[in-house]
Amino acid sequence: MSGPTMTQQTSTGEITRPNWPVLALAFIAVVLDGYDTIALGLSVPALSKDWDVSASHFTPALSLTSLGVALGYIAVGRLTARFGCRHVILAAVVAFTIGSLLTAWAGSIIELSALRFITGFGLGAVMPAAVAQATALNPTRYRQSIAVFVTMGISLGALIAGLAGSQIVSAFGWEWVFILGAMASAVLLPFLWRWLPDERTITGVVASSPRAKHDASVARLFEPQVRSRTILLWAFAFLVFSVFYIFSSWLPTLLTSYGFTTGLAPLGSAALGIGSIIGAGVLMVGALRFRMTSVLAGTTAVAIVFLVLSAFLGADKALLLVVFAGVGLGLQAGMIGQAAVSVSLYPQATAATGVGWTSSMGRLGSVVGPIVGGALIGLGVATSTIVLLACIPVAVALILILVLGQLKSGDVEGSAVN
């Protein structure tokens, strides 16, 4: 079954009206992706206490989650070229539903790490496929805004996990963070099956054709028109993701040094999520008047300011949460914005590959981030020092996005390989 086709087109095949069911389903799938991605990070304090091991022992599980996601990002271009975005999204949601459910019954760090790696692959395939599906079945003029909107689901999922996580962990235990996430994605599956169309029947793309394979190739991202921008964008994504995932993975643990209980520590993830939602809103509004690279330069600078502030705050819990919301605003805006730049930089047929590979570079950074954070925590480095050290890669990311915005060989947001 390919699902319904409710997209209106002109006689030339141009899509003229938004496809709201596709937008809603793509967004919800990414929300669940965002929830499950940080589920382990906010569960670490309770897991550490329950299993009677140091929090730093969970570094392999956190890093393998990100590695699985990175591999999912890398594979998604080829998968969507062969099977279509609809089938990739369905299979990916099934994968992380099962993986999340089994995580609740993990009995050792080795089991936990293996399950999170498998789950991560499913999580990684969802976002680029959802962005490609939503942009393919909606008017071209909305591509950048749609990419921001769909990718914003990651932020909302993190927010939901952070807000609900403290209540779930306190009332039922860490296992239910994963069980409830699996239940939610299981509920979504029949809606995806019924209402998510096969975009190839609308756009006319032939599965596994030589052209489709060429467009899905990573080599497409290194053609002369976009090679230097691809490198700059990948490096920017790597740095922003690495710092964000230091905090998304370890913030609940770091906050315990400020007197937060294990039940309240997940509120740090909620603060990051709230800031992330605001950051996405800033991107959507800013993109209407400014180049996306200029907006990203501003939000990256904001992240640096709030990181410095957080390093010098005392134990005022409410103020700390506000400041880390500002950190989330700046960093998550960069994570969302890189997908929007990818969508507008490459042609539609290359969208999943462009978003996937750029995000995979970010996810490779997110593999490094938790490892570095775990090592610093294991060495007993003060939280304020960890935060100040995090300012260095963010400052480099700011320089990279400024350079990307100053390239003179055409507009980054407006050009695409033809």
Side-chain angles (χ1 to χ4, degrees), residues 189-362:
L189 278 169
F191 291 93
L192 291 173
W193 180 266
R194 175 66 181 87
W195 296 106
L196 197 66
D198 187 337
E199 77 286 352
R200 297 170 299 178
T201 64
I202 299 171
T203 60
V205 174
V206 179
S208 300
S209 68
R211 180 66 184 181
K213 292 179 179 179
H214 171 68
D215 286 334
S217 170
V218 66
R220 188 79 156 122
L221 310 182
F222 286 90
E223 293 186 349
Q225 302 96 318
V226 292
R227 183 185 301 124
S228 60
R229 298 171 191 164
T230 293
I231 294 170
L232 287 169
L233 188 58
W234 282 15
F236 172 81
F238 177 89
L239 293 170
V240 171
F241 271 70
S242 67
V243 176
F244 180 85
Y245 275 89
I246 289 176
F247 293 106
S248 69
S249 298
W250 294 113
L251 185 56
T253 302
L254 292 172
L255 288 178
T256 59
S257 68
Y258 287 106
F260 283 71
T261 65
T262 56
L264 289 177
L267 290 176
S269 297
L272 284 176
I274 291 171
S276 299
I277 295 294
I278 297 172
V282 169
L283 286 183
M284 294 184 73
V285 174
L288 298 176
R289 299 188 60 184
F290 306 102
R291 290 163 58 106
M292 181 59 73
T293 49
S294 299
V295 180
L296 291 180
T299 56
T300 305
V302 166
I304 295 173
V305 170
F306 279 105
L307 281 169
V308 173
L309 286 175
S310 67
F312 294 101
L313 287 178
D316 187 321
K317 295 182 177 61
L319 189 56
L320 275 169
L321 292 176
V322 170
V323 169
F324 277 110
V327 173
L329 184 159
L331 295 178
Q332 188 77 326
M335 294 166 65
I336 295 172
Q338 57 82 22
V341 175
S342 295
V343 163
S344 55
L345 178 58
Y346 309 112
Q348 180 60 55
T350 312
T353 301
V355 173
W357 272 90
T358 303
S359 297
S360 74
M361 293 301 106

Side-chain angles (χ1 to χ4, degrees), residues 3 17 42 57 121 129 135 139 143 165 176 237 243 265 286 291 326 336 348 370 414:
R17 293 186 181 181
L42 62 87
H57 283 70
F121 188 87
T135 53
R143 286 182 70 188
W176 280 90
V243 176
R291 290 163 58 106
I336 295 172
Q348 180 60 55

